[in-house]
Amino acid sequence: MKSSPITILKFGGTSVQDANAMNQLVDIVRTRSGRRLVVVSALAKVTDTLVKIAECCEQKQSPLARQLVKDICDRHLDVAEHLKLSNKQILFLQDFLNQLIEWVENQLTLGEMSPKAKDHLLSFGELCSSCLVQGVISKKITSFWVDARDLIATNSEFNSAQVDRELTRNNLMEKVVPHLDEAVGVTQGFIGSDGFGNTTTLGRGGSDYSAALMGAGLDAEKVEIWTDVDGILSTDPRIVKNARVIDQLHFLEAAEMAYFGAKVIHPKTIFPALEKKISVWILNSKNPSAQGTEITYAEDYRSKGVTGIAFKKEVTLVNIYSTRMLGAHGFLKSVFDIFARHKLSVDLIATSEVNLSLTLDPNSDLEALNKVKQELESFSEVEVHGHRGMISVVGGGIRKTPGLALKIFSHLSDINIQMVSMGASELNLSFVVHSDEVNEVIKRLHQSLIES
Ligand code: ADP
Ligand code: ASP
Ligand code: MG
């Protein structure tokens, strides 16, 4: 008998934030048929708390660290109680909570927090939430729990590990597929392990990426990303209340929105799904009957105009001026070699013969940036401006819409635009302003480019 199609259902932090949300999750899983794998994030805000605990360990702030660990334990046990989980399921959860307590005590004694140790610490968020989710699912549907560290195989680049796709696929085929006909699988997003058995993570917000990796590795038919908004919206609804749901979005536009800051989906999510042309949906776990956004692979995206507006607050703008290299070859190469060596990834670039402006992601390592600056200063003058915001107007028709740049900038005549870049992807026009002006710019552009 031929097996049924596989659906991956990924639930983000707010979709597993409490007992209520977890019960809703079960209802959603029950509406889906066929073989299903549920991928969960940590309970909302738990990863942030674990990051704070990591800082406390480094600074030997024992009372605060212990308090935060206790808060996490209490919260999970409280949800378990509300869900009326069996003793066996509570013991399963308690085992991870005990490991967390013991491990933090040990780290407090050492007074350090290596990237490797931090990944181990952060993994408890997803491990604990998946115990609760599997516990509640198993009351209604036969299910099994699987440790994502036995599935997602990565290198040892802690905090943002690179995935070995082939090994991951083999793991999924061996450890998940044989059970899926009989039961719904429950596993964690965000975490994996390296070849030495160390826990790794895929970067903040990486559970979406995990879901796509699992979808690709399992040849799934569909990946559903369940979150707290009705889909991918024309811009961040926290800034523009009447941001619109985009019913269908070409995968390149979705990738561009994500890359340029739309937090609703992790930028790496699209590409594993693309390889297998897996249908990806963004859906609202608090409003499951809403249609959501479908990411499509249809080829006609270039005919459209502006799809959405993404942004990143708190980027760093770096201006590099070289006089000595006028007419010389290799200026750009020298600059980018330095950024690459210090593992700083550049978002936007605008160049002239000897000048270069670029922006760095808000999460960039400032120590690395200082070293880059020192090296660049051996052949150029360098200005570093923090507290900048990058705004990207995204859409398949950006290059083919006459007068679009005028339309954008005519509404910003009182705003100081500090850099402009039209992406080579032809899908975005991005520019940099002062961080304090980002919200105002987004509101004006949404009004003029999308609402009217
Ligand atoms: P989850 O925990 O489910 O992964 P996230 O908080 O990571 O959810 O992402 C969902 C949030 O992304 C939304 O609540 C919204 O505030 C924010 N967001 C930013 N830009 C967009 C956008 N263009 N469309 C939808 N949501 C967006
Ligand atoms: N829990 C992780 C984070 O908050 C991963 C995720 O939610 O996608 O970054
Ligand atoms: Mg997310």
Side-chain angles (χ1 to χ4, degrees):
M1 200 180 73
K2 197 170 172 288
S3 290
S4 56
I6 295 177
T7 303
I8 311 290
L9 296 102
K10 177 263 169 178
F11 292 88
T14 44
S15 305
V16 291
Q17 65 186 358
D18 52 25
N20 211 359
M22 292 205 186
N23 280 320
Q24 253 164 341
L25 175 157
V26 180
D27 291 342
I28 291 169
V29 175
R30 291 177 82 195
T31 61
R32 294 331 193 221
S33 54
R35 294 181 291 166
R36 287 155 288 176
L37 178 66
V38 174
V39 180
V40 297
S41 290
L43 273 57
K45 304 268 183 282
V46 164
T47 310
D48 291 341
T49 307
L50 290 165
V51 169
K52 273 196 210 124
I53 294 172
E55 287 162 9
C56 289
C57 288
E58 244 173 346
Q59 296 155 10
K60 289 204 170 193
Q61 290 181 14
S62 305
L64 180 56
R66 288 187 186 121
Q67 182 57 50
L68 294 173
V69 169
K70 183 174 181 306
D71 292 347
I72 288 181
C73 294
D74 290 351
R75 182 163 165 207
H76 284 81
L77 290 170
D78 186 56
V79 175
E81 196 179 312
H82 273 89
L83 293 173
K84 299 194 171 57
L85 296 191
S86 67
N87 282 345
K88 190 173 155 220
Q89 286 155 347
I90 292 177
L91 281 177
F92 186 38
L93 166 69
Q94 188 71 61
D95 186 38
F96 282 119
L97 295 175
N98 290 342
Q99 285 179 38
L100 169 65
I101 296 167
E102 220 173 280
W103 197 83
V104 169
E105 281 305 326
N106 194 30
Q107 253 1 82
L108 283 168
T109 319
L110 294 172
E112 60 167 38
M113 185 56 61
S114 64
K116 176 168 141 186
K118 187 173 173 189
D119 272 359
H120 189 73
L121 176 58
L122 296 198
S123 72
F124 284 105
E126 270 67 12
L127 288 166
C128 292
S129 77
S130 65
C131 292
L132 291 167
V133 168
Q134 197 251 331
V136 66
I137 286 186
S138 66
K139 289 170 154 220
K140 305 258 170 76
I141 319 170
T142 315
S143 65
F144 66 99
W145 183 92
V146 53
D147 192 324
R149 294 172 297 183
D150 295 332
L151 304 177
I152 302 286
T154 72
N155 67 2
S156 305
E157 237 176 84
F158 297 103
N159 304 171
S160 184
Q162 305 296 316
V163 176
D164 182 328
R165 299 285 304 282
E166 213 179 299
L167 253 180
T168 299
R169 182 181 171 81
N170 293 343
N171 290 339
L172 287 158
M173 289 296 162
E174 188 188 321
K175 290 165 187 149
V176 175
V177 171
H179 310 292
L180 277 187
D181 278 320
E182 314 297 326
V184 168
V186 178
T187 190
Q188 309 81 41
F190 184 50
I191 65 173
S193 70
D194 69 7
F196 308 99
N198 299 306
T199 301
T200 54
T201 66
L202 306 181
R204 291 300 307 268
S207 294
D208 303 328
Y209 180 39
S210 304
L213 288 166
M214 293 185 197
L218 288 168
D219 299 323
E221 183 185 58
K222 212 193 241 187
V223 173
E224 296 182 346
I225 311 270
W226 289 90
T227 182
D228 61 351
V229 282
D230 279 346
I232 300 186
L233 308 180
S234 48
T235 195
D236 191 333
R238 287 170 295 188
I239 296 186
V240 178
K241 292 229 156 32
N242 49 350
R244 295 177 186 168
V245 180
I246 305 166
D247 297 336
Q248 269 201 333
L249 194 61
H250 189 269
F251 73 92
L252 285 176
E253 292 172 301
E256 206 89 336
M257 286 286 282
Y259 182 71
F260 287 109
K263 192 190 166 212
V264 64
I265 176 169
H266 189 277
K268 287 187 180 169
T269 311
I270 306 295
F271 291 95
L274 165 68
E275 278 170 28
K276 301 265 175 78
K277 296 259 167 48
I278 299 171
S279 135
V280 176
W281 286 81
I282 319 299
L283 297 153
N284 190 350
S285 64
K286 301 200 162 59
N287 183 18
S289 59
Q291 194 200 323
T293 296
E294 182 187 11
I295 295 178
T296 79
Y297 305 96
E299 280 309 320
D300 60 354
Y301 70 98
R302 279 171 202 276
S303 59
K304 295 178 208 142
V306 173
T307 314
I309 305 164
F311 64 91
K312 285 187 188 179
K313 275 191 186 168
E314 301 303 339
V315 303
T316 303
L317 174 66
V318 183
N319 291 327
I320 303 158
Y321 309 91
S322 173
T323 42
R324 268 200 279 149
M325 297 197 65
L326 188 64
H329 300 289
F331 172 59
L332 292 179
K333 182 177 184 307
S334 322
V335 170
F336 287 117
D337 279 350
I338 296 174
F339 278 93
R341 210 164 351 92
H342 292 281
K343 296 198 166 131
L344 282 181
S345 92
V346 171
D347 275 344
L348 285 189
I349 336 169
T351 63
S352 70
E353 168 96 8
V354 289
N355 295 339
L356 178 64
S357 291
L358 50 87
T359 64
L360 299 173
D361 194 78
N363 303 317
S364 301
D365 175 355
L366 291 181
E367 229 171 89
L369 176 58
N370 273 336
K371 288 186 191 145
V372 164
K373 185 167 181 276
Q374 276 170 17
E375 288 191 36
L376 288 171
E377 278 169 345
S378 67
F379 60 88
S380 52
E381 279 173 40
V382 185
E383 284 174 4
V384 174
H385 304 280
H387 204 47
R388 296 298 186 266
M390 176 179 90
I391 293 164
S392 303
V393 177
V394 175
I398 295 274
R399 281 241 174 133
K400 291 202 171 152
T401 311
L404 183 67
L406 178 66
K407 199 167 174 188
I408 293 173
F409 294 116
S410 66
H411 291 92
L412 308 178
S413 55
D414 56 334
I415 305 276
N416 181 17
I417 311 284
Q418 305 185 12
M419 171 184 169
V420 181
S421 168
M422 182 118 167
S425 66
E426 307 194 356
L427 289 170
N428 82 83
L429 191 151
S430 302
F431 55 93
V432 175
V433 298
H434 197 274
S435 282
D436 298 342
E437 292 170 327
V438 168
N439 287 13
E440 176 59 24
V441 170
I442 301 273
K443 282 179 191 158
R444 284 192 210 170
L445 290 184
H446 195 268
Q447 170 71 39
S448 63
L449 301 175
I450 293 180
E451 287 170 52
S452 59

